[in-house]
């Protein structure tokens, strides 16, 4: 269970569902990613600024700042972190809206981990 | 007013409430399914890691199984509440317990409250039953709660109390602190007033508190 790159890809998970984020973090770390997590939009902005992760997995619906607001703040900051949106919406529209705002990609919940890993590696490779 | 028939306007507002509610509930269910999905995957990961070895780490498997059980329980409660809301239009008029109504609607709107970081406290006298159009009553309480969550400041509490007063039933919604700049001067608005009128109730705002006066037979 390893990713193919020699240096670990640093992934930040921003989701207010603690049990979801912590389990996903564990599963990504088992696959040799370096995953960390935060539980709100405001924390996500701060963590991107301080940790400069390679990829941010960003839930759209969170207390305080929602995902689209986080995207907008990251754009203002000129952050180089690639963003993959996690969405619980039934339609693709919000994910597409996020991509128009600069997100690299989106994935719908519940997440297919293999699909997510491909997207993370693609996002990292595009940096 | 004839409570057997709902005017078009009331039907439209109830449909709007149902739309907001189902959007919120389906998000919640997707979240619970996501946690179940991740934990089922983690158990598979753990099994794969120890294949041919001494065995899976029991503590981690147990923690994952507990998370799955918690999310199944959470989903069940969410669906039970939505089911109760959905069946509220089966018989018109029907009976609704005041305290249970508040508990149900607070539960159904908990996601909206969480998004605004608002806590809800309830203090309702038990044993007060209203005979009314229950769906309309539920929609009225839903709209008031949802509006007040958006007005409450983060990390504050909204108190919902219910009691009998002068032969009538009173529901009072008391925000701890609101953002006065965003408090709409016309709240309760047309929708809330229309729903209240439909069940023979009144809905008004007194010094930042929303008060609904209900007849036991509305």
């Amino acid at each position: 269970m390893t990713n193919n790159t020699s240096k670990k890809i640093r992934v930040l998970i921003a989701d207010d569902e603690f049990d979801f984020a912590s389990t996903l973090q564990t599963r990504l770390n088992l696959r040799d990613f370096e995953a960390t997590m935060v539980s709100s939009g405001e924390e996500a902005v701060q963590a991107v600024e301080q940790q400069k992760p390679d990829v941010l997995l960003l839930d759209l619906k969170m207390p305080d700042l929602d995902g689209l607001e986080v995207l907008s703040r990251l754009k203002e900051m000129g952050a180089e972190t690639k963003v993959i949106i996690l969405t619980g919406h039934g339609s693709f529209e919000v994910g597409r809206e996020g991509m128009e705002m600069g997100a690299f990609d989106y994935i719908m919940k519940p997440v297919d981990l293999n699909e997510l890993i491909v997207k993370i590696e693609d996002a990292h490779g595009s940096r | 007013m004839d409570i057997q028939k709902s005017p078009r306007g009331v039907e439209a507002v109830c449909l709007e409430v149902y739309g907001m509610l189902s959007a919120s509930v389906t998000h919640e269910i997707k979240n619970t399914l996501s946690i179940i999905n991740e934990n089922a995957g983690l158990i598979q990961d753990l099994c794969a890691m120890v294949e041919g070895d001494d065995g899976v780490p029991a503590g981690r498997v147990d923690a994952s199984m507990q998370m799955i059980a918690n999310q199944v329980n959470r989903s069940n409660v969410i669906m039970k509440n939505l089911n109760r809301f959905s069946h509220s239009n089966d018989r018109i008029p029907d009976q609704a317990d005041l305290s249970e109504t508040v508990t149900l609607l607070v539960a159904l709107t908990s996601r909206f409250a969480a998004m605004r970081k608002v806590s809800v406290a309830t203090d309702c006298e038990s044993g007060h039953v209203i005979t009314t159009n229950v769906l309309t009553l539920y929609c009225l309480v839903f709209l008031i709660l949802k509006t007040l969550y958006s007005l409450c400041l983060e990390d504050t509490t909204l108190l919902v109390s219910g009691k009998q007063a002068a032969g009538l039933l009173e529901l009072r919604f008391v925000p701890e602190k609101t953002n006065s700049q965003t408090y709409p001067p016309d709240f309760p608005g047309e929708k809330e007033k229309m729903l209240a009128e439909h069940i023979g109730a009144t809905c008004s705002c007194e010094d930042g508190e929303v008060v609904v006066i209900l007849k036991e037979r509305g």
Side-chain angles (χ1 to χ4, degrees), chain B residues 147-186:
Chain B
T147 304
L148 289 181
Y149 295 152
S150 67
L151 300 177
C152 285
L153 291 181
E154 281 189 1
D155 300 315
T156 61
T157 301
L158 172 66
L159 172 66
V160 186
S161 63
K163 63 177 185 181
Q164 195 169 37
L168 298 168
L169 297 177
E170 178 192 280
L171 271 180
R172 190 172 282 265
F173 303 78
V174 186
E176 184 185 341
K177 213 167 185 186
T178 57
N179 183 345
S180 56
Q181 285 180 321
T182 58
Y183 210 106
D186 59 343

Side-chain angles (χ1 to χ4, degrees), chain A residues 53-114:
Chain A
D54 300 310
V55 180
L56 168 64
L57 304 181
L58 179 63
D59 183 35
L60 279 179
K61 291 277 182 185
M62 286 186 290
D64 59 46
L65 291 181
D66 71 22
L68 295 181
E69 288 170 320
V70 172
L71 265 177
S72 167
R73 290 270 292 273
L74 297 184
K75 204 171 178 180
E76 282 170 20
M77 286 160 47
E80 290 181 6
T81 298
K82 295 291 176 183
V83 178
I84 297 173
I85 287 171
L86 298 168
T87 172
H89 271 266
S91 74
F92 300 105
E93 292 311 312
V94 185
R96 288 195 187 119
E97 192 184 342
M99 288 179 74
E100 281 166 17
M101 290 179 66
F104 177 80
D105 206 343
Y106 64 90
I107 190 162
M108 296 177 87
K109 289 182 175 177
V111 168
D112 177 325
L113 191 65
N114 292 328

Side-chain angles (χ1 to χ4, degrees), chain A residues 1 16-17 19-20 22-24 26-27 30-31 61-64 88-90 108-113, chain B residues 27-28 30-31 33-35 37-39 41-42 45 48-49 60 67 71 74 111 114-115 117 154:
Chain A
M1 286 187 192
D16 62 318
E17 287 284 343
D19 286 347
F20 168 76
S22 63
T23 312
L24 182 59
T26 302
R27 298 189 72 200
L30 283 173
R31 286 161 175 79
K61 291 277 182 185
M62 286 186 290
D64 59 46
H89 271 266
M108 296 177 87
K109 289 182 175 177
V111 168
D112 177 325
L113 191 65
Chain B
H27 267 286
E28 281 277 294
K30 277 210 155 213
N31 281 334
L33 289 175
S34 296
I35 295 168
N37 182 52
E38 286 311 314
N39 279 281
L42 178 59
D45 291 348
M49 277 166 62
R60 291 178 79 171
M67 274 196 215
Q71 296 310 315
R74 177 181 165 195
R111 185 177 155 81
M115 285 295 124
K117 293 188 175 174
E154 281 189 1

Side-chain angles (χ1 to χ4, degrees), chain B residues 32 35-41 43 61-74:
Chain B
T32 63
I35 295 168
I36 291 168
N37 182 52
E38 286 311 314
N39 279 281
I43 291 168
V61 172
D62 188 52
S64 270
M65 296 304 289
Q66 189 57 54
M67 274 196 215
I68 290 173
N70 289 346
Q71 296 310 315
V72 169
N73 187 46
R74 177 181 165 195

Side-chain angles (χ1 to χ4, degrees), chain B residues 90-152:
Chain B
D90 288 356
R91 284 191 306 175
I92 304 170
D94 204 349
Q95 292 191 324
D97 181 278
L98 187 68
S99 176
E100 286 176 12
T101 296
V102 169
T103 303
L104 176 67
L105 271 297
V106 167
L108 282 169
T109 57
S110 60
R111 185 177 155 81
F112 296 106
M115 285 295 124
R116 294 284 308 160
K117 293 188 175 174
V118 173
S119 304
V120 186
T122 60
D123 179 21
C124 291
E125 292 174 0
S126 58
H128 297 309
V129 175
I130 312 152
T131 304
T132 191
N133 184 314
V134 178
L135 176 63
T136 305
L137 172 64
Y138 283 179
C139 290
L140 174 61
V141 176
F142 177 98
L143 286 180
I144 293 168
L145 287 173
K146 189 165 181 288
T147 304
L148 289 181
Y149 295 152
S150 67
L151 300 177
C152 285

Side-chain angles (χ1 to χ4, degrees), chain B residues 15-16 39 65 81 84 116 143 175 191 195 207 216:
Chain B
L15 191 59
E16 189 184 330
N39 279 281
M65 296 304 289
N81 287 339
R84 259 186 79 189
R116 294 284 308 160
L143 286 180
K191 290 175 187 173
L195 296 182
D207 300 326
E216 291 197 29

